Amino acid sequence: MKDLKHLIYFESLLNDAHNELVRKAQKDGKRIIGYTCYHMPEVLLNAGNCVSIRIRAPKTGSMDIATYYMSNYVCEYCRAMLERAVEGGYNFLDGIAGVDACAQMNRCMENIELQKLIKNEGFFVSHVDVPYKLDPGAVPHYMEQITLKVLNPLHKNYGVDISDKSFREAVRVHNEVCKIITEIGHMRKEDNPRITGYEFHILNLVSYCCPKYLIVDALRETLEELKTREPDREKKFRARVVLIGSEIDDPDFTKLLEECGALIVMDRFCFGSTPGREEIVLNDNEDALEQICAHYLKTSMCPRYMSKEKMDQRWNFAADTFKEYGAEGIIYEQMKFCDYWGYERALASHIMSDEHGIPTLSIDRPYMSRSSGQLRTRFQAFVESLEIKKIDKMHKAGGRA
């Protein structure tokens, strides 16, 4: 396929958390607020003169200092964040909107806060308590926590407009980006998609890691480019897969998987597009903040929720998208030592395989996994097993595809 015009530029933006568009936003007078979790409503961090940046640690090497403070049995993503903070890699941030959704990330944020690793005037770290289930008190509690620990400090420290009108404008810009990413994502349903999983991952990541008002034009142009892009005559993949699991902000992971012959047609992981790139629909009768908070609680499919309705939501979504996107297998992945996804990966891979009859691969992985020969071998073996199943199915059908 013809190379996408902006792909190399997008890739370059992902090489540094403090990329050129973030620096441009700072020159424009914007306050840069970092966050790491879907449970911190991204759209609220783009209200007024703020822009949200989902925190990454690209090109992570040694994590010795972070391991000293957090031990080597803590998720590598959390340790990579702390290591980068110690190195001064997040000194451009005006605040970190953190949540008490994951104990390991909470320890990372506590270290950044207590060691005063970021010394900018007005800088703050929040620890928002997120409800564990959806009941009548969940949304009001969530709203109160975000107001007290995030919105009020933004207003007090930086004069950020936290009015209903400001939130609605932030939703409008957010939805514009979501529409573009969603429309591009639907192209992966095609029999021979005009976009690879790696390319989509790059486009989606820049929508998280760059100021939206500075990236939206390039994303829109890419959408128009894709509408007329012709896929290769012969398929460059051997199997279509759905990728589900914990945080993936390393494009080299998706590249590794697709080099093994799999095409990622749906992403259901942290930093992914489902959930994350759905439009937020607001009505004019209810408070915008309440509607935004309700949206994030209802759409979240994080395994920290252990109620039956939330577990059913996750598993039904996986099975439904498997069919909708014409996938042939599901890969459940988990960052090493991630407690929530460790339990979910073990149980959900069993549910998908035994109860839904879906071929499923279950893996754990390091934060940076490009050079993992073990992962490459397992991916190749899984793709081959899907090919064998396809051949067996054809034989049973009398040679017909």
Side-chain angles (χ1 to χ4, degrees):
M1 290 184 289
K2 184 179 178 181
D3 291 341
L4 294 175
K5 175 182 176 182
H6 294 299
L7 188 66
I8 294 177
Y9 172 59
F10 290 152
E11 289 173 327
S12 69
L13 291 173
L14 296 174
N15 286 331
D16 184 4
H18 193 199
N19 60 59
E20 67 173 83
L21 293 187
V22 175
R23 296 194 294 271
K24 172 66 166 60
Q26 287 178 300
K27 290 181 180 178
D28 291 344
K30 302 292 186 180
R31 295 296 182 175
I32 313 300
I33 309 301
Y35 75 110
T36 63
C37 180
Y38 182 76
H39 290 102
M40 176 49 61
E42 173 191 12
V43 68
L44 295 176
L45 306 182
N46 289 279
N49 63 328
C50 289
V51 295
S52 69
I53 300 298
R54 196 147 179 177
I55 305 176
R56 303 167 56 244
K59 299 181 179 179
T60 290
S62 168
M63 292 182 282
D64 289 348
I65 297 175
T67 300
Y68 170 80
Y69 284 104
M70 298 180 68
S71 94
N72 58 354
Y73 294 109
V74 169
C75 154
E76 287 189 2
Y77 175 52
C78 300
R79 281 188 280 155
M81 299 301 104
L82 179 57
E83 190 79 21
R84 190 58 52 89
V86 170
E87 295 168 350
Y90 301 135
N91 287 348
F92 64 94
L93 292 176
D94 294 297
I96 296 179
V99 295
D100 284 342
C102 163
Q104 298 186 42
M105 182 55 74
N106 192 37
R107 287 188 63 195
C108 169
M109 297 302 168
E110 286 177 334
N111 271 282
I112 292 174
E113 183 179 26
L114 295 176
Q115 294 186 51
K116 296 180 172 57
L117 297 179
I118 301 173
K119 298 180 173 62
N120 298 331
E121 184 179 356
F123 176 83
F124 69 95
V125 178
S126 75
H127 300 274
V128 171
D129 178 47
V130 180
Y132 272 89
K133 59 182 179 179
L134 286 175
D135 59 25
V139 173
H141 175 74
Y142 192 34
M143 290 172 59
E144 180 183 42
Q145 286 284 303
I146 288 174
T147 299
L148 290 174
K149 298 179 179 179
V150 179
L151 299 179
N152 286 351
L154 286 176
H155 179 67
K156 178 181 177 181
N157 295 3
Y158 304 122
V160 175
D161 182 359
I162 56 172
S163 66
D164 188 86
K165 181 179 179 181
S166 176
F167 295 154
R168 290 179 185 274
E169 173 59 19
V171 168
R172 185 193 66 78
V173 177
H174 177 86
N175 284 349
E176 186 175 3
V177 172
C178 290
K179 288 177 184 178
I180 294 171
I181 296 296
T182 299
E183 188 171 350
I184 294 174
H186 285 167
M187 294 177 182
R188 297 181 292 171
K189 296 179 183 180
E190 298 167 352
D191 180 61
N192 188 13
R194 68 191 76 183
I195 185 170
T196 67
Y198 170 78
E199 291 172 331
F200 182 81
H201 193 190
I202 294 291
L203 300 180
N204 195 43
L205 272 178
V206 295
S207 77
Y208 281 116
C209 302
C210 299
K212 290 176 177 54
Y213 77 101
L214 294 177
I215 201 69
V216 65
D217 288 340
L219 290 173
R220 190 184 298 109
E221 187 176 349
T222 302
L223 170 60
E224 294 304 314
E225 183 183 359
L226 282 165
K227 288 180 180 179
T228 58
R229 191 190 203 193
E230 292 291 332
D232 295 322
R233 289 189 177 183
E234 293 186 7
K235 296 178 180 178
K236 299 296 185 182
F237 58 91
R238 296 155 58 193
R240 300 165 64 96
V241 300
V242 173
L243 184 59
I244 300 176
S246 61
E247 183 276 338
I248 300 179
D249 70 89
D250 177 17
D252 281 340
F253 177 83
T254 51
K255 180 180 285 187
L256 170 63
L257 176 53
E258 295 201 321
E259 284 176 350
C260 295
L263 176 70
I264 303 166
V265 294
M266 171 52 70
D267 53 302
R268 202 344 264 144
F269 49 75
C270 304
F271 272 87
S273 64
T274 53
R277 287 297 169 254
E278 302 83 5
E279 292 182 63
I280 301 174
V281 180
L282 301 182
N283 62 53
D284 296 329
N285 303 319
E286 298 174 279
D287 179 73
L289 177 60
E290 181 177 359
Q291 294 180 75
I292 291 168
C293 289
H295 169 86
Y296 280 90
L297 285 181
K298 290 175 182 177
T299 56
S300 174
M301 286 185 274
C302 179
R304 73 188 295 273
Y305 296 101
M306 297 305 293
S307 61
K308 185 178 186 305
E309 63 271 16
K310 276 293 189 180
M311 288 192 290
D312 288 342
Q313 176 192 18
R314 296 195 296 270
W315 300 337
N316 290 336
F317 179 85
D320 291 344
T321 54
F322 170 83
K323 296 175 183 176
E324 182 182 356
Y325 283 79
E328 297 159 84
I330 292 179
I331 297 177
Y332 270 91
E333 59 81 22
Q334 163 221 334
M335 190 80 67
K336 286 181 181 292
F337 308 117
C338 175
D339 294 331
Y340 291 138
W341 277 105
Y343 287 109
E344 178 73 3
R345 177 173 69 91
L347 183 55
S349 59
H350 164 75
I351 296 292
M352 291 299 110
S353 178
D354 292 1
E355 297 188 12
H356 291 274
I358 297 174
T360 306
L361 173 66
S362 173
I363 62 166
D364 65 357
R365 63 178 185 85
Y367 179 50
M368 294 291 164
S369 49
R370 173 66 179 167
S371 60
S372 175
Q374 183 184 54
L375 280 181
R376 184 179 293 275
T377 300
R378 295 197 65 189
F379 289 153
Q380 290 172 336
F382 185 59
V383 169
E384 289 174 7
S385 73
L386 295 178
E387 286 184 312
I388 292 171
K389 291 179 186 296
K390 190 187 302 184
I391 293 170
D392 288 343
K393 186 178 180 180
M394 289 175 61
H395 286 166
K396 290 177 182 179
R400 297 187 301 274

